[in-house]
Amino acid sequence: MWARILRAAVVAAAFSTLAACASLGGGREAPLKPPVVTDPAPIVSGTMRPYQVRGRWYHPKEQPNYDEVGQASWYGSYHHGRSTSTGERFDMNGLTAAHKTLPLPSLVEVTNRANGRRVILRVNDRGPFVDGRIIDLSRGAAEELGLLNQGVGEVRVRYVGRAPRQGGGTPMQRAEAAPARNDAAPSREAGPRPYYEAASAPTPAPAQAPAPQPVPSYAAPAAAYWVQAGAYSDRRGADRVARRLGDRASIQNLDRDGRTLFRVVVGPWPDATAAERARQAVIARGFSDALLIGG
């Protein structure tokens, strides 16, 4: 009889141990405790409108239960210092990301399925507009997740909630050691490259205009993508808009029904993803009817 009692006690202890392990988060991808945001940034309303890229419509909305597995890519020096869809400046070394439909700005938890690394990222941009990609990472986020060299990898993305007014990106968990971060802007001539960047001549730094002056007209290359902020009958009004939109803005003359309009465009951009990011940024600056043209 004592033997039966002893065996029963051993079995009960084993089940108790298993239950305890499960309660401690035995699942490799159990959700992390999200950061507490006491003063959330307002959602940028202009980024929540439906929009179209390459004939496909996207409908941004609140998605509190968003949880998706798919491919992630990253973008870096080509966009460094330029406006994101929220109007913030893109810092390629920060922990940020672009998503096609989540609220801007917001926070997501991203897990690299290959190595278990996890980060919390601030979503402040739109993209990627490439089939099969669910999120575009900053260079810093790709480095934290171990995706910098391969360019593309499988991740799990969970919506965390509203973002704080500044920052919010946090490295949360690593399953292996990572190389040291280098916050200096890398040369485009060497090292890892985003999936869309070809090994080509470096992009020259934009020149600063010493004083307001008429913005030069520009003839668009046939294969380029541009963002049209507006078309104006008054050249001086077009000049003011172009200066407001910064160094990538220019003016194209447009003949319509026998009269000349001055079209203010921002670009050129190498692909539809980059151009749509720029369009969302132009919308955030008050030009709600901005259009994607060219390509």
Side-chain angles (χ1 to χ4, degrees):
M1 183 177 89
W2 287 107
R4 287 198 299 272
I5 293 174
L6 181 61
R7 282 196 298 271
V10 170
V11 170
F15 276 109
S16 176
T17 301
L18 289 173
C21 290
S23 67
L24 289 173
R28 182 172 177 238
E29 294 190 13
L32 298 168
K33 184 178 180 180
V36 177
V37 178
T38 57
D39 185 21
I43 293 174
V44 180
S45 59
T47 65
M48 298 300 286
R49 298 171 182 157
Y51 63 95
Q52 187 180 36
V53 178
R54 297 179 183 171
R56 179 179 299 180
W57 281 95
Y58 298 92
H59 299 270
K61 60 181 179 180
E62 292 271 12
Q63 300 172 71
N65 299 317
Y66 181 87
D67 187 341
E68 188 174 1
V69 173
Q71 295 293 307
S73 47
W74 66 273
Y75 62 119
S77 57
Y78 189 92
H79 301 273
H80 186 65
R82 306 202 182 279
S83 292
T84 66
S85 297
T86 60
E88 302 168 18
R89 291 293 179 183
F90 173 61
D91 177 4
M92 68 179 179
N93 296 309
L95 295 178
T96 61
H99 192 277
K100 293 185 280 287
T101 59
L102 287 175
L104 299 183
S106 60
L107 297 178
V108 293
E109 176 193 301
V110 181
T111 304
N112 184 339
R113 303 270 286 179
N115 60 20
R117 295 189 190 182
R118 301 187 199 183
V119 292
I120 298 291
L121 301 179
R122 180 184 184 89
V123 181
N124 63 359
D125 217 346
R126 289 288 180 226
F129 303 101
V130 178
D131 288 343
R133 311 272 168 83
I134 64 171
I135 195 167
D136 225 357
L137 310 169
S138 66
R139 188 185 195 279
E143 189 170 5
E144 287 288 345
L145 288 166
L147 291 172
L148 193 60
N149 289 313
Q150 66 196 77
V152 178
E154 187 178 74
V155 298
R156 184 171 190 173
V157 181
R158 293 188 180 97
Y159 180 71
V160 172
R162 299 281 294 278
R165 292 184 180 271
Q166 292 184 344
T170 311
M172 300 292 290
Q173 176 178 317
R174 291 186 177 185
E176 59 185 44
R181 291 278 303 273
N182 179 10
D183 289 337
S187 168
R188 285 173 51 86
E189 298 172 341
R193 296 183 184 277
Y195 72 93
Y196 58 82
E197 287 191 6
S200 59
T203 302
Q208 294 291 332
Q213 56 185 346
V215 178
S217 300
Y218 196 95
Y225 289 87
W226 299 81
V227 175
Q228 176 181 308
Y232 306 89
S233 59
D234 177 35
R235 172 67 193 234
R236 287 176 297 180
D239 282 339
R240 287 193 296 270
V241 171
R243 284 195 293 269
R244 177 180 168 188
L245 291 173
D247 60 278
R248 291 189 76 96
S250 59
I251 296 174
Q252 299 172 356
N253 294 344
L254 180 66
D255 185 24
R256 180 173 295 171
D257 298 328
R259 64 192 185 102
T260 300
L261 294 178
F262 302 98
R263 180 165 66 180
V264 179
V265 295
V266 180
W269 305 100
D271 54 37
T273 295
E276 178 57 27
R277 283 199 189 98
R279 190 182 77 88
Q280 294 283 340
V282 171
I283 289 173
R285 298 184 73 169
F287 299 89
S288 58
D289 296 324
L291 302 172
L292 185 63
I293 59 175

